[in-house]
Amino acid sequence: MKDYGSPHVTEREDSIRLTWLNQTCLGGISCEVSALRILGVPNPRAYKIYLAEFHTASLKIDLGANAEPADVDRRLRGLYDHLAIALGPATFSYPDYSLGLPAIIWELPQMTIGLSPQTKKLAVFVEHEPAGYTELRAEAAAIRAAAGEGARVDFVAWPGWRNRSRELIE
């Protein structure tokens, strides 16, 4: 992939990251695209980024130095709407991921797509489920089963969702 589009290459002792700056993504949004590979024995919690084959990429959308939390909220909702048109409703979210906003996940056949807020940025990741790696996949599934679902909820938990849930109960 180093030869595709002249990426900035960051090589470290334990990783390699390829970054394509000033790209256009998702129908005209300016973004940075990157791919990462961690070298060494795969950690089953994130085994895909250890594999020699390309399986995961992320997009970072810079909202600007003057972006306020309300700007991040508005852009996150707009990008969610854009992705939901193409992908359907999200599978789950992690409430209060960052800035009081959710990280949103779509689980599709052989692919996971995520959208998350970060300070003055939005991030989108795409992971393709690789063929093979039976033992790593089984170990990852066992870890997830033992850890439970954590803070995830099976809907998009926009700010204030807890209060709305209480109102519905009462």
Side-chain angles (χ1 to χ4, degrees), residues 2 15 46 50 60 80 139 151 155 163:
K2 288 182 183 179
S15 67
Y50 287 79
K60 301 259 181 178
Y80 168 77
E139 189 174 352
F155 55 89
N163 293 335

Side-chain angles (χ1 to χ4, degrees), residues 85-100:
I85 289 168
L87 303 172
T91 308
F92 64 90
S93 71
Y94 293 105
D96 303 324
Y97 178 81
S98 178
L99 307 172

Side-chain angles (χ1 to χ4, degrees), residues 160-170:
W161 70 276
R162 285 185 178 92
N163 293 335
R164 286 191 295 278
S165 296
R166 286 187 195 111
E167 290 169 6
L168 292 173
I169 293 170
E170 295 171 354

Side-chain angles (χ1 to χ4, degrees), residues 67-98:
E68 296 292 328
D71 299 325
V72 179
D73 185 321
R74 181 181 50 77
R75 293 287 301 272
L76 179 71
R77 289 174 190 261
L79 190 50
Y80 168 77
D81 290 343
H82 180 80
L83 290 171
I85 289 168
L87 303 172
T91 308
F92 64 90
S93 71
Y94 293 105
D96 303 324
Y97 178 81
S98 178

Side-chain angles (χ1 to χ4, degrees), residues 19 33-34 56 60 78 99 121 159 166:
T19 305
V33 178
S34 65
T56 185
K60 301 259 181 178
L99 307 172
K121 291 185 180 185
R166 286 187 195 111

Side-chain angles (χ1 to χ4, degrees), residues 96-138:
D96 303 324
Y97 178 81
S98 178
L99 307 172
L101 297 168
I104 304 165
I105 311 296
W106 287 264
E107 290 182 319
L108 305 168
Q110 299 181 322
M111 185 179 299
T112 302
I113 298 173
L115 169 61
S116 62
Q118 299 176 353
T119 304
K120 305 196 185 306
K121 291 185 180 185
L122 297 177
V124 177
F125 74 85
V126 178
E127 290 182 343
H128 175 261
E129 183 64 37
Y133 306 101
T134 306
E135 290 178 19
L136 272 174
R137 289 166 39 138

